[in-house]
Amino acid sequence: MDAVIGKVEKIFGEVNISGSKNAALPIIIGSLLIKGKTKIFNVPDIIDINNTIRIIKKLNVDIEFNNNTLIINNNNKIKKNLLFEEIELLRGSSYFWGVLLKDKRKLKSFIPGGCKIGNRPFDLHYEMFNKLGIKNQIDKNIIYFKKTKRKEIKEIIFSKESLGTTINLILYTVISKYNLKVINPSLEPEVLDFINFLNKAGGNIKVIDKKIYLKGVKKLKETEYKVMFDRIEAGSYMLLASCFKNSILKINNINIKYLENILNVIHLLGIKIDISNDSVTIKREEKLNKLDIVINTYPSFPTDLQQILTVVLLNSGGKIKDLIFPKRISHIEELKKVNADIDIIDNEIIINKSDLLNNEINGIDLRGTFGLIVACGMVDDNSKIINIDNVFRGYEKLEEKLQRINFPIQIVK
């Protein structure tokens, strides 16, 4: 699919934020640990979720998805392997490892895919599983896992924070005889939402002093759960509104405590912010401030919003250093095609104020493509982005939401 985008005069109106992709994925996959029915609300209807559903169906589990509600009836015998094409399309499919290895001595899996944003190996996952007595070998695009003797450990220390590895550890040990202290885990809001889900289903997981204390239980029970809002989607629309003069955008269905790191950056840009219980209003006037920022693990400004912030800073200038994914730079060459004045020096993105010109550009990864959409709105006439499909991996009803807030976009299939 391609997108044709017109010049944006100003953004106004309201946008309702969907459920979190990054919380929904482990919650949905974690429901496979529950025998019987699990009902999950506020699930975004996006490509990554639908690929997850396809994998679950291929594993011989009954699942229904309608109106952002997912019902999983897990009463069948789950298949042994993960040799499905959808695995290669979705990095979060690695979460199936923790679930299936719990009951299987051997497991074959395609190497999970996802956005190409630099070096994203699964070494921390393999290291964690090895500590629990699970070896792995890789042959071309297939990983072979094999359990050895169960290792009696009471503490795991992660060498660096990793959301995926933290989730996989919890999935593997929540139903077990383990009594674990996890040091240096990822404690992003989506991990906490996932832990809340498991605890509601009967898990015994506590977070104290930035550590996770997990005591394995015998089984989990049927439950219902509502997924948290998508803070990355919320931040995306905040930055979009910040990009265009005289914009006023109200963003609904949020929890403000998980947006402080994003709002702090919005404030530094010189944007006015009105906050209520479950909404925030962004008011962009004339001037936008320069900004120098270093991106790190939560609660720092999210790496997932780096590419969109890069586009916003074309209005004023600034520098961005992303310590999480310094090679998340697919958007840079595409922005240069529309006359963006950007350089990369020692993994730091140097952005100069730029007047953008029309040219055809290419959507390469999820967040970068959203940033390119914003950039096209800064061009004086119609612009075109080809291969926009990947943006629908993470943004629900994108075309509809953008059109409602005066952003002229048309998706061409």
Side-chain angles (χ1 to χ4, degrees), residues 178-192:
Y178 282 107
N179 191 351
L180 282 175
K181 178 167 74 170
V182 186
I183 298 173
N184 199 34
S186 169
L187 293 176
E188 295 194 20
E190 294 77 14
V191 176
L192 299 180

Side-chain angles (χ1 to χ4, degrees), residues 323-362:
L323 300 181
I324 305 301
F325 292 119
K327 298 302 181 184
R328 195 196 281 258
I329 54 174
S330 68
H331 58 307
I332 301 298
E333 288 305 314
E334 299 306 310
L335 288 172
K336 286 183 178 180
K337 292 178 184 178
V338 291
N339 201 46
D341 185 0
I342 303 178
D343 290 307
I344 301 172
I345 302 174
D346 296 331
N347 288 330
E348 186 173 53
I349 303 170
I350 313 296
I351 307 148
N352 297 303
K353 187 175 180 179
S354 304
D355 293 321
L356 302 188
L357 303 176
N358 186 24
N359 199 354
E360 184 175 281
I361 53 178
N362 184 24

Side-chain angles (χ1 to χ4, degrees), residues 188-240:
E188 295 194 20
E190 294 77 14
V191 176
L192 299 180
D193 202 43
F194 167 63
I195 289 172
N196 288 339
F197 161 73
L198 290 177
N199 283 341
K200 189 176 181 187
N204 188 350
I205 309 166
K206 297 177 181 178
V207 177
I208 303 171
D209 295 331
K210 297 183 180 180
K211 300 178 184 67
I212 293 175
Y213 294 84
L214 182 149
K215 186 174 182 179
V217 297
K218 290 184 178 180
K219 67 177 183 178
L220 298 176
K221 62 184 180 181
E222 294 183 331
T223 194
E224 296 183 355
Y225 193 78
K226 182 179 178 181
V227 175
M228 69 175 286
F229 80 102
D230 195 315
R231 65 191 176 96
I232 303 302
E233 184 193 23
S236 299
Y237 283 103
M238 288 181 195
L239 290 170
L240 182 147

Side-chain angles (χ1 to χ4, degrees), residues 223-267:
T223 194
E224 296 183 355
Y225 193 78
K226 182 179 178 181
V227 175
M228 69 175 286
F229 80 102
D230 195 315
R231 65 191 176 96
I232 303 302
E233 184 193 23
S236 299
Y237 283 103
M238 288 181 195
L239 290 170
L240 182 147
S242 300
C243 201
F244 301 100
K245 293 179 182 179
N246 303 315
S247 293
I248 301 178
L249 181 64
K250 185 179 182 184
I251 297 162
N252 300 317
N253 302 339
I254 63 169
N255 185 335
I256 204 71
K257 74 176 182 178
Y258 294 131
L259 294 172
E260 289 182 1
N261 51 356
I262 303 171
L263 289 172
N264 287 341
V265 169
I266 301 287
H267 177 73

Side-chain angles (χ1 to χ4, degrees), residues 42 46 66 74 97-98 127 140 188 204 211 218 234 237 241 303 351 363:
N42 202 34
I46 54 177
N66 292 294
N74 182 23
W97 299 343
E127 180 183 320
K140 296 180 181 178
E188 295 194 20
N204 188 350
K211 300 178 184 67
K218 290 184 178 180
Y237 283 103
T303 179
I351 307 148

Side-chain angles (χ1 to χ4, degrees), residues 72-282:
I72 300 168
N73 280 297
N74 182 23
N75 291 305
N76 304 327
K77 186 175 181 180
I78 297 178
K79 293 183 179 180
K80 293 182 179 180
N81 295 316
L82 292 167
L83 301 180
F84 313 128
E85 62 181 352
E86 289 85 359
I87 298 292
E88 298 179 290
L89 301 174
L90 176 68
R91 184 172 176 84
S93 63
S94 63
Y95 301 149
F96 285 102
W97 299 343
V99 171
L100 297 188
L101 283 167
K102 187 184 73 66
D103 294 323
K104 302 182 187 303
R105 292 196 69 253
K106 295 182 179 181
L107 178 67
K108 288 190 290 186
S109 171
F110 284 139
I111 295 176
C115 287
K116 304 298 186 288
I117 55 174
N119 192 25
R120 303 174 79 194
F122 289 95
D123 293 0
L124 291 174
H125 294 252
Y126 306 147
E127 180 183 320
M128 178 270 296
F129 281 127
N130 186 54
K131 289 177 180 177
L132 297 171
I134 301 168
K135 306 291 185 181
N136 75 278
Q137 284 186 314
I138 300 174
D139 184 9
K140 296 180 181 178
N141 66 329
I142 297 178
I143 309 166
Y144 297 84
F145 291 98
K146 183 178 180 180
K147 282 186 182 179
T148 59
K149 185 177 180 181
R150 178 182 182 272
K151 293 185 179 180
E152 300 294 336
I153 61 172
K154 294 186 177 181
E155 182 177 282
I156 282 187
I157 302 173
F158 289 143
S159 57
K160 62 183 291 187
E161 292 182 26
S162 166
L163 182 145
T165 310
T166 301
I167 287 170
N168 243 334
L169 172 65
I170 294 170
L171 287 168
Y172 184 73
T173 58
V174 64
I175 301 174
S176 69
K177 295 181 180 179
Y178 282 107
N179 191 351
L180 282 175
K181 178 167 74 170
V182 186
I183 298 173
N184 199 34
S186 169
L187 293 176
E188 295 194 20
E190 294 77 14
V191 176
L192 299 180
D193 202 43
F194 167 63
I195 289 172
N196 288 339
F197 161 73
L198 290 177
N199 283 341
K200 189 176 181 187
N204 188 350
I205 309 166
K206 297 177 181 178
V207 177
I208 303 171
D209 295 331
K210 297 183 180 180
K211 300 178 184 67
I212 293 175
Y213 294 84
L214 182 149
K215 186 174 182 179
V217 297
K218 290 184 178 180
K219 67 177 183 178
L220 298 176
K221 62 184 180 181
E222 294 183 331
T223 194
E224 296 183 355
Y225 193 78
K226 182 179 178 181
V227 175
M228 69 175 286
F229 80 102
D230 195 315
R231 65 191 176 96
I232 303 302
E233 184 193 23
S236 299
Y237 283 103
M238 288 181 195
L239 290 170
L240 182 147
S242 300
C243 201
F244 301 100
K245 293 179 182 179
N246 303 315
S247 293
I248 301 178
L249 181 64
K250 185 179 182 184
I251 297 162
N252 300 317
N253 302 339
I254 63 169
N255 185 335
I256 204 71
K257 74 176 182 178
Y258 294 131
L259 294 172
E260 289 182 1
N261 51 356
I262 303 171
L263 289 172
N264 287 341
V265 169
I266 301 287
H267 177 73
L268 290 172
L269 288 170
I271 307 295
K272 291 185 177 180
I273 306 167
D274 290 339
I275 297 172
S276 65
N277 291 334
D278 60 357
S279 69
V280 60
T281 300
I282 303 299

